[in-house]
PDB file of all heavy atoms in Angstrom:
ATOM      1  N   GLN A 291       3.519  14.731 -15.700  1.00 98.00           N
ATOM      2  CA  GLN A 291       2.631  13.593 -15.840  1.00 98.00           C
ATOM      3  C   GLN A 291       1.182  13.962 -15.527  1.00 98.00           C
ATOM      4  O   GLN A 291       0.270  13.599 -16.260  1.00 98.00           O
ATOM      5  CB  GLN A 291       3.058  12.481 -14.916  1.00 98.00           C
ATOM      6  CG  GLN A 291       4.056  11.540 -15.523  1.00 98.00           C
ATOM      7  CD  GLN A 291       4.452  10.421 -14.541  1.00 98.00           C
ATOM      8  OE1 GLN A 291       3.676  10.070 -13.654  1.00 98.00           O
ATOM      9  NE2 GLN A 291       5.642   9.914 -14.712  1.00 98.00           N
ATOM     10  N   THR A 292       1.010  14.710 -14.433  1.00 98.00           N
ATOM     11  CA  THR A 292      -0.349  15.065 -14.061  1.00 98.00           C
ATOM     12  C   THR A 292      -0.998  15.949 -15.112  1.00 98.00           C
ATOM     13  O   THR A 292      -2.173  15.738 -15.479  1.00 98.00           O
ATOM     14  CB  THR A 292      -0.372  15.839 -12.694  1.00 98.00           C
ATOM     15  OG1 THR A 292       0.349  15.029 -11.743  1.00 98.00           O
ATOM     16  CG2 THR A 292      -1.790  16.052 -12.225  1.00 98.00           C
ATOM     17  N   VAL A 293      -0.228  16.936 -15.631  1.00 98.00           N
ATOM     18  CA  VAL A 293      -0.802  17.847 -16.594  1.00 98.00           C
ATOM     19  C   VAL A 293      -1.175  17.102 -17.904  1.00 98.00           C
ATOM     20  O   VAL A 293      -2.235  17.337 -18.475  1.00 98.00           O
ATOM     21  CB  VAL A 293       0.142  19.041 -16.872  1.00 98.00           C
ATOM     22  CG1 VAL A 293      -0.321  19.864 -18.081  1.00 98.00           C
ATOM     23  CG2 VAL A 293       0.250  19.906 -15.630  1.00 98.00           C
ATOM     24  N   LEU A 294      -0.331  16.138 -18.255  1.00 97.00           N
ATOM     25  CA  LEU A 294      -0.675  15.313 -19.437  1.00 97.00           C
ATOM     26  C   LEU A 294      -1.969  14.559 -19.200  1.00 97.00           C
ATOM     27  O   LEU A 294      -2.865  14.508 -20.071  1.00 97.00           O
ATOM     28  CB  LEU A 294       0.473  14.362 -19.722  1.00 97.00           C
ATOM     29  CG  LEU A 294       0.376  13.585 -21.052  1.00 97.00           C
ATOM     30  CD1 LEU A 294       0.335  14.521 -22.249  1.00 97.00           C
ATOM     31  CD2 LEU A 294       1.553  12.608 -21.172  1.00 97.00           C
ATOM     32  N   GLU A 295      -2.080  13.947 -18.032  1.00 98.00           N
ATOM     33  CA  GLU A 295      -3.288  13.227 -17.677  1.00 98.00           C
ATOM     34  C   GLU A 295      -4.536  14.146 -17.677  1.00 98.00           C
ATOM     35  O   GLU A 295      -5.595  13.746 -18.189  1.00 98.00           O
ATOM     36  CB  GLU A 295      -3.084  12.579 -16.279  1.00 98.00           C
ATOM     37  CG  GLU A 295      -4.116  11.538 -15.951  1.00 98.00           C
ATOM     38  CD  GLU A 295      -3.943  11.035 -14.490  1.00 98.00           C
ATOM     39  OE1 GLU A 295      -2.836  11.214 -13.940  1.00 98.00           O
ATOM     40  OE2 GLU A 295      -4.899  10.469 -13.993  1.00 98.00           O
ATOM     41  N   VAL A 296      -4.362  15.332 -17.217  1.00 98.00           N
ATOM     42  CA  VAL A 296      -5.455  16.312 -17.183  1.00 98.00           C
ATOM     43  C   VAL A 296      -5.867  16.673 -18.603  1.00 98.00           C
ATOM     44  O   VAL A 296      -7.051  16.689 -18.958  1.00 98.00           O
ATOM     45  CB  VAL A 296      -5.028  17.573 -16.383  1.00 98.00           C
ATOM     46  CG1 VAL A 296      -5.948  18.744 -16.672  1.00 98.00           C
ATOM     47  CG2 VAL A 296      -4.992  17.265 -14.894  1.00 98.00           C
ATOM     48  N   ARG A 297      -4.890  16.969 -19.432  1.00 97.00           N
ATOM     49  CA  ARG A 297      -5.190  17.347 -20.817  1.00 97.00           C
ATOM     50  C   ARG A 297      -5.873  16.210 -21.553  1.00 97.00           C
ATOM     51  O   ARG A 297      -6.784  16.446 -22.360  1.00 97.00           O
ATOM     52  CB  ARG A 297      -3.887  17.779 -21.537  1.00 97.00           C
ATOM     53  CG  ARG A 297      -3.336  19.110 -21.031  1.00 97.00           C
ATOM     54  CD  ARG A 297      -1.917  19.365 -21.537  1.00 97.00           C
ATOM     55  NE  ARG A 297      -1.841  19.362 -22.980  1.00 97.00           N
ATOM     56  CZ  ARG A 297      -2.139  20.408 -23.757  1.00 97.00           C
ATOM     57  NH1 ARG A 297      -2.492  21.536 -23.238  1.00 97.00           N
ATOM     58  NH2 ARG A 297      -2.073  20.311 -25.072  1.00 97.00           N
ATOM     59  N   ARG A 298      -5.441  14.997 -21.284  1.00 96.00           N
ATOM     60  CA  ARG A 298      -6.093  13.821 -21.927  1.00 96.00           C
ATOM     61  C   ARG A 298      -7.543  13.727 -21.431  1.00 96.00           C
ATOM     62  O   ARG A 298      -8.441  13.532 -22.243  1.00 96.00           O
ATOM     63  CB  ARG A 298      -5.347  12.539 -21.551  1.00 96.00           C
ATOM     64  CG  ARG A 298      -4.067  12.388 -22.299  1.00 96.00           C
ATOM     65  CD  ARG A 298      -3.732  10.896 -22.474  1.00 96.00           C
ATOM     66  NE  ARG A 298      -2.471  10.773 -23.254  1.00 96.00           N
ATOM     67  CZ  ARG A 298      -1.310  10.422 -22.689  1.00 96.00           C
ATOM     68  NH1 ARG A 298      -1.254  10.111 -21.380  1.00 96.00           N
ATOM     69  NH2 ARG A 298      -0.237  10.362 -23.400  1.00 96.00           N
ATOM     70  N   ALA A 299      -7.732  13.822 -20.084  1.00 97.00           N
ATOM     71  CA  ALA A 299      -9.089  13.681 -19.531  1.00 97.00           C
ATOM     72  C   ALA A 299     -10.024  14.747 -20.074  1.00 97.00           C
ATOM     73  O   ALA A 299     -11.193  14.484 -20.318  1.00 97.00           O
ATOM     74  CB  ALA A 299      -9.017  13.755 -17.985  1.00 97.00           C
ATOM     75  N   MET A 300      -9.487  15.941 -20.318  1.00 97.00           N
ATOM     76  CA  MET A 300     -10.325  17.025 -20.796  1.00 97.00           C
ATOM     77  C   MET A 300     -10.561  16.941 -22.296  1.00 97.00           C
ATOM     78  O   MET A 300     -11.359  17.704 -22.863  1.00 97.00           O
ATOM     79  CB  MET A 300      -9.684  18.361 -20.472  1.00 97.00           C
ATOM     80  CG  MET A 300      -9.633  18.688 -18.978  1.00 97.00           C
ATOM     81  SD  MET A 300      -8.859  20.289 -18.650  1.00 97.00           S
ATOM     82  CE  MET A 300     -10.108  21.402 -19.282  1.00 97.00           C
ATOM     83  N   GLY A 301      -9.788  16.080 -22.968  1.00 95.00           N
ATOM     84  CA  GLY A 301      -9.941  15.983 -24.429  1.00 95.00           C
ATOM     85  C   GLY A 301      -9.087  16.977 -25.197  1.00 95.00           C
ATOM     86  O   GLY A 301      -9.234  17.134 -26.388  1.00 95.00           O
ATOM     87  N   LEU A 302      -8.210  17.700 -24.512  1.00 95.00           N
ATOM     88  CA  LEU A 302      -7.412  18.704 -25.202  1.00 95.00           C
ATOM     89  C   LEU A 302      -6.374  18.092 -26.080  1.00 95.00           C
ATOM     90  O   LEU A 302      -6.051  18.635 -27.157  1.00 95.00           O
ATOM     91  CB  LEU A 302      -6.739  19.655 -24.153  1.00 95.00           C
ATOM     92  CG  LEU A 302      -7.713  20.606 -23.497  1.00 95.00           C
ATOM     93  CD1 LEU A 302      -6.975  21.343 -22.343  1.00 95.00           C
ATOM     94  CD2 LEU A 302      -8.256  21.615 -24.476  1.00 95.00           C
ATOM     95  N   THR A 303      -5.747  16.979 -25.638  1.00 93.00           N
ATOM     96  CA  THR A 303      -4.746  16.351 -26.502  1.00 93.00           C
ATOM     97  C   THR A 303      -5.400  15.855 -27.790  1.00 93.00           C
ATOM     98  O   THR A 303      -4.878  15.976 -28.870  1.00 93.00           O
ATOM     99  CB  THR A 303      -4.062  15.166 -25.796  1.00 93.00           C
ATOM    100  OG1 THR A 303      -5.093  14.425 -25.138  1.00 93.00           O
ATOM    101  CG2 THR A 303      -3.041  15.628 -24.772  1.00 93.00           C
ATOM    102  N   GLY A 304      -6.651  15.377 -27.637  1.00 90.00           N
ATOM    103  CA  GLY A 304      -7.430  14.893 -28.802  1.00 90.00           C
ATOM    104  C   GLY A 304      -7.725  16.026 -29.758  1.00 90.00           C
ATOM    105  O   GLY A 304      -7.669  15.810 -30.966  1.00 90.00           O
ATOM    106  N   ALA A 305      -8.041  17.183 -29.255  1.00 89.00           N
ATOM    107  CA  ALA A 305      -8.358  18.312 -30.140  1.00 89.00           C
ATOM    108  C   ALA A 305      -7.197  18.600 -31.051  1.00 89.00           C
ATOM    109  O   ALA A 305      -7.368  18.780 -32.267  1.00 89.00           O
ATOM    110  CB  ALA A 305      -8.706  19.539 -29.290  1.00 89.00           C
ATOM    111  N   TYR A 306      -5.998  18.674 -30.482  1.00 91.00           N
ATOM    112  CA  TYR A 306      -4.863  19.007 -31.326  1.00 91.00           C
ATOM    113  C   TYR A 306      -4.504  17.893 -32.288  1.00 91.00           C
ATOM    114  O   TYR A 306      -4.115  18.113 -33.418  1.00 91.00           O
ATOM    115  CB  TYR A 306      -3.654  19.396 -30.462  1.00 91.00           C
ATOM    116  CG  TYR A 306      -2.543  20.010 -31.261  1.00 91.00           C
ATOM    117  CD1 TYR A 306      -2.761  21.003 -32.203  1.00 91.00           C
ATOM    118  CD2 TYR A 306      -1.217  19.573 -31.045  1.00 91.00           C
ATOM    119  CE1 TYR A 306      -1.728  21.562 -32.933  1.00 91.00           C
ATOM    120  CE2 TYR A 306      -0.183  20.135 -31.806  1.00 91.00           C
ATOM    121  CZ  TYR A 306      -0.444  21.124 -32.727  1.00 91.00           C
ATOM    122  OH  TYR A 306       0.567  21.657 -33.448  1.00 91.00           O
ATOM    123  N   GLN A 307      -4.686  16.625 -31.820  1.00 93.00           N
ATOM    124  CA  GLN A 307      -4.452  15.506 -32.701  1.00 93.00           C
ATOM    125  C   GLN A 307      -5.333  15.553 -33.928  1.00 93.00           C
ATOM    126  O   GLN A 307      -4.907  15.328 -35.040  1.00 93.00           O
ATOM    127  CB  GLN A 307      -4.746  14.176 -31.961  1.00 93.00           C
ATOM    128  CG  GLN A 307      -3.496  13.549 -31.396  1.00 93.00           C
ATOM    129  CD  GLN A 307      -3.847  12.492 -30.356  1.00 93.00           C
ATOM    130  OE1 GLN A 307      -4.953  11.958 -30.353  1.00 93.00           O
ATOM    131  NE2 GLN A 307      -2.901  12.207 -29.504  1.00 93.00           N
ATOM    132  N   GLN A 308      -6.615  15.934 -33.724  1.00 94.00           N
ATOM    133  CA  GLN A 308      -7.537  16.065 -34.871  1.00 94.00           C
ATOM    134  C   GLN A 308      -7.012  17.103 -35.886  1.00 94.00           C
ATOM    135  O   GLN A 308      -7.003  16.847 -37.063  1.00 94.00           O
ATOM    136  CB  GLN A 308      -8.905  16.543 -34.393  1.00 94.00           C
ATOM    137  CG  GLN A 308      -9.825  15.447 -33.948  1.00 94.00           C
ATOM    138  CD  GLN A 308     -11.181  16.005 -33.563  1.00 94.00           C
ATOM    139  OE1 GLN A 308     -11.712  16.875 -34.256  1.00 94.00           O
ATOM    140  NE2 GLN A 308     -11.751  15.524 -32.469  1.00 94.00           N
ATOM    141  N   VAL A 309      -6.626  18.230 -35.320  1.00 95.00           N
ATOM    142  CA  VAL A 309      -6.141  19.306 -36.199  1.00 95.00           C
ATOM    143  C   VAL A 309      -4.898  18.825 -36.964  1.00 95.00           C
ATOM    144  O   VAL A 309      -4.783  19.029 -38.168  1.00 95.00           O
ATOM    145  CB  VAL A 309      -5.824  20.607 -35.401  1.00 95.00           C
ATOM    146  CG1 VAL A 309      -5.259  21.680 -36.334  1.00 95.00           C
ATOM    147  CG2 VAL A 309      -7.061  21.106 -34.684  1.00 95.00           C
ATOM    148  N   ARG A 310      -4.024  18.145 -36.242  1.00 95.00           N
ATOM    149  CA  ARG A 310      -2.786  17.679 -36.868  1.00 95.00           C
ATOM    150  C   ARG A 310      -3.107  16.648 -37.975  1.00 95.00           C
ATOM    151  O   ARG A 310      -2.498  16.669 -39.059  1.00 95.00           O
ATOM    152  CB  ARG A 310      -1.855  17.068 -35.832  1.00 95.00           C
ATOM    153  CG  ARG A 310      -1.086  18.109 -35.032  1.00 95.00           C
ATOM    154  CD  ARG A 310       0.348  17.639 -34.755  1.00 95.00           C
ATOM    155  NE  ARG A 310       0.385  16.233 -34.309  1.00 95.00           N
ATOM    156  CZ  ARG A 310       0.633  15.849 -33.081  1.00 95.00           C
ATOM    157  NH1 ARG A 310       0.872  16.741 -32.130  1.00 95.00           N
ATOM    158  NH2 ARG A 310       0.690  14.576 -32.782  1.00 95.00           N
ATOM    159  N   ARG A 311      -4.034  15.737 -37.688  1.00 96.00           N
ATOM    160  CA  ARG A 311      -4.390  14.740 -38.694  1.00 96.00           C
ATOM    161  C   ARG A 311      -4.968  15.414 -39.947  1.00 96.00           C
ATOM    162  O   ARG A 311      -4.645  15.058 -41.078  1.00 96.00           O
ATOM    163  CB  ARG A 311      -5.405  13.752 -38.135  1.00 96.00           C
ATOM    164  CG  ARG A 311      -4.776  12.524 -37.467  1.00 96.00           C
ATOM    165  CD  ARG A 311      -5.750  11.373 -37.315  1.00 96.00           C
ATOM    166  NE  ARG A 311      -6.892  11.712 -36.525  1.00 96.00           N
ATOM    167  CZ  ARG A 311      -6.934  11.540 -35.203  1.00 96.00           C
ATOM    168  NH1 ARG A 311      -5.887  11.015 -34.551  1.00 96.00           N
ATOM    169  NH2 ARG A 311      -8.015  11.876 -34.507  1.00 96.00           N
ATOM    170  N   ARG A 312      -5.828  16.421 -39.727  1.00 97.00           N
ATOM    171  CA  ARG A 312      -6.406  17.116 -40.864  1.00 97.00           C
ATOM    172  C   ARG A 312      -5.308  17.835 -41.669  1.00 97.00           C
ATOM    173  O   ARG A 312      -5.268  17.808 -42.887  1.00 97.00           O
ATOM    174  CB  ARG A 312      -7.445  18.135 -40.398  1.00 97.00           C
ATOM    175  CG  ARG A 312      -8.728  17.507 -39.985  1.00 97.00           C
ATOM    176  CD  ARG A 312      -9.883  18.496 -39.916  1.00 97.00           C
ATOM    177  NE  ARG A 312      -9.529  19.704 -39.209  1.00 97.00           N
ATOM    178  CZ  ARG A 312     -10.172  20.178 -38.098  1.00 97.00           C
ATOM    179  NH1 ARG A 312     -11.170  19.493 -37.605  1.00 97.00           N
ATOM    180  NH2 ARG A 312      -9.774  21.253 -37.534  1.00 97.00           N
ATOM    181  N   ALA A 313      -4.370  18.479 -40.933  1.00 97.00           N
ATOM    182  CA  ALA A 313      -3.287  19.196 -41.593  1.00 97.00           C
ATOM    183  C   ALA A 313      -2.434  18.238 -42.466  1.00 97.00           C
ATOM    184  O   ALA A 313      -2.081  18.510 -43.592  1.00 97.00           O
ATOM    185  CB  ALA A 313      -2.418  19.899 -40.563  1.00 97.00           C
ATOM    186  N   GLU A 314      -2.202  17.059 -41.839  1.00 97.00           N
ATOM    187  CA  GLU A 314      -1.399  16.038 -42.526  1.00 97.00           C
ATOM    188  C   GLU A 314      -2.107  15.576 -43.800  1.00 97.00           C
ATOM    189  O   GLU A 314      -1.475  15.473 -44.888  1.00 97.00           O
ATOM    190  CB  GLU A 314      -1.187  14.881 -41.509  1.00 97.00           C
ATOM    191  CG  GLU A 314      -0.425  13.685 -42.068  1.00 97.00           C
ATOM    192  CD  GLU A 314       1.021  14.033 -42.392  1.00 97.00           C
ATOM    193  OE1 GLU A 314       1.536  15.053 -41.904  1.00 97.00           O
ATOM    194  OE2 GLU A 314       1.649  13.229 -43.125  1.00 97.00           O
ATOM    195  N   ARG A 315      -3.433  15.314 -43.686  1.00 97.00           N
ATOM    196  CA  ARG A 315      -4.199  14.830 -44.845  1.00 97.00           C
ATOM    197  C   ARG A 315      -4.165  15.874 -45.974  1.00 97.00           C
ATOM    198  O   ARG A 315      -3.925  15.547 -47.124  1.00 97.00           O
ATOM    199  CB  ARG A 315      -5.652  14.544 -44.452  1.00 97.00           C
ATOM    200  CG  ARG A 315      -5.956  13.080 -44.449  1.00 97.00           C
ATOM    201  CD  ARG A 315      -7.402  12.822 -44.074  1.00 97.00           C
ATOM    202  NE  ARG A 315      -7.593  12.698 -42.656  1.00 97.00           N
ATOM    203  CZ  ARG A 315      -8.487  13.374 -41.942  1.00 97.00           C
ATOM    204  NH1 ARG A 315      -9.306  14.244 -42.551  1.00 97.00           N
ATOM    205  NH2 ARG A 315      -8.583  13.219 -40.649  1.00 97.00           N
TER     206      ARG A 315
END
Side-chain angles (χ1 to χ4, degrees):
Q291 271 181 25
T292 307
V293 170
L294 187 62
E295 194 184 342
V296 164
R297 289 168 58 83
R298 286 208 179 106
M300 292 180 71
L302 288 171
T303 44
Y306 191 47
Q307 263 164 22
Q308 273 183 43
V309 177
R310 282 218 315 252
R311 270 199 299 270
R312 286 197 311 240
E314 178 66 17
R315 251 182 272 129

